[in-house]
Amino acid sequence: MRSDGWARRFLRTWREDYIYQTLVSSAVSFGCTALFALYNGSLYLSYGSLWHGSMGICYLLLVVIRGMVLLTEKRNRTRPGMEQHRCRCRTFLISAGLLLTLDLALILPISMMAVLDKPVSIGLSPAIAMAAYTTWKITMASIHIGRQRRRPSGNILVAELRTVNFIDALVAILTLQNTLIMVKRTTAGENDMLPVCAASSGVIYIMIVAITIRMLQRGLKQAAIPAR
């Protein structure tokens, strides 16, 4: 009975509280991203794959950013309003700096993909799983970004989490692209793939940088507004 009551309260809060929904989904993404960081790190240690090592660093940065935001919101429960605003602004500035570092860290793996410098070979099953995960991630991130624009929460960190989720989805697309290249590890037709791979990687990277700068601009404007 108690578990049923908890489940009903959770579902009701999930439907009605947008901020709560964002924090819970980000906590789940935190766990998934940590697994990706460990996975890429293990491939780097096992095979010396520079691509997987650099992607492991990128996923680790995403883990740190989400962890900082979630920890700040958890601690804010016992803080007064003005202190909450100051802590959110401080966390936003630090995490935004880490997000800019992530953009720089992506240059290496993207440049490797652009010239089809493939790391280790994998089978078809991981590629299919990665495709399904990427499709789900980009769909949910797009839905929540649209919802954030229609119904701004007023919480600078919630808005940042939604932006980070979308950037994470774009990084997943880059990972999927590289995974598919690794599956088709044949020399025939590789040169034909080079322009397409370079162009798609460049477009996605430009989107990531543009989204980061836009988030930083909006966040700085919101941080300048005193808390009520």
Side-chain angles (χ1 to χ4, degrees):
M1 293 296 293
R2 291 182 178 179
S3 60
D4 292 342
W6 179 88
R8 285 195 296 269
R9 289 195 301 272
F10 173 80
L11 291 175
R12 183 173 62 252
T13 305
W14 174 270
R15 290 193 300 267
E16 297 174 357
D17 192 333
Y18 177 71
I19 294 180
Y20 180 79
Q21 184 184 129
T22 300
L23 295 176
V24 171
S25 61
S26 294
V28 174
S29 296
F30 174 88
C32 293
T33 308
L35 291 176
F36 272 106
L38 291 174
Y39 170 73
N40 283 279
S42 65
L43 288 179
Y44 170 72
L45 295 176
S46 300
Y47 300 100
S49 170
L50 183 59
W51 190 89
H52 284 101
S54 58
M55 287 304 298
I57 293 175
C58 293
Y59 280 117
L60 182 61
L61 287 170
L62 286 171
V63 168
V64 173
I65 292 170
R66 285 196 176 104
M68 288 179 57
V69 172
L70 292 172
L71 183 61
T72 298
E73 286 301 309
K74 180 180 180 180
R75 291 178 174 176
N76 268 352
R77 294 178 181 177
T78 58
R79 291 168 176 159
M82 289 294 295
E83 183 66 18
Q84 288 182 10
H85 181 71
R86 284 194 294 268
C87 291
R88 283 171 179 157
C89 291
R90 182 171 61 247
T91 299
F92 172 80
L93 292 175
I94 297 173
S95 57
L98 291 175
L99 202 54
L100 290 173
T101 304
L102 169 65
D103 292 349
L104 294 176
L106 281 170
I107 293 176
L108 177 59
I110 288 176
S111 62
M112 294 179 68
M113 282 191 295
V115 296
L116 300 179
D117 185 2
K118 302 181 294 296
V120 296
S121 298
I122 63 172
L124 184 59
S125 296
I128 295 174
M130 189 66 203
Y133 172 79
T134 302
T135 301
W136 171 79
K137 201 163 190 62
I138 195 69
T139 300
M140 296 305 297
S142 300
I143 290 174
H144 289 300
I145 279 289
R147 184 179 300 177
Q148 170 69 23
R149 290 178 177 176
R150 292 192 302 269
R151 296 189 305 169
S153 63
N155 187 324
I156 190 174
L157 294 184
V158 169
E160 182 184 17
L161 279 177
R162 288 308 186 190
T163 302
V164 168
N165 288 341
F166 193 75
I167 291 175
D168 190 7
L170 292 176
V171 173
I173 294 177
L174 290 172
T175 304
L176 174 61
Q177 176 177 274
N178 189 70
T179 301
L180 296 176
I181 291 173
M182 287 188 289
V183 171
K184 187 177 174 55
R185 197 177 173 86
T186 59
T187 56
E190 277 198 348
N191 291 334
D192 296 336
M193 296 173 59
L194 182 58
V196 176
C197 183
S200 61
S201 299
V203 169
I204 293 174
Y205 183 71
I206 290 173
M207 289 178 61
I208 291 174
V209 173
I211 291 171
T212 302
I213 294 175
R214 182 60 175 165
M215 182 208 73
L216 186 58
Q217 290 174 338
R218 290 182 175 180
L220 290 175
K221 288 181 180 179
Q222 189 171 348
I225 300 176
R228 296 178 180 179

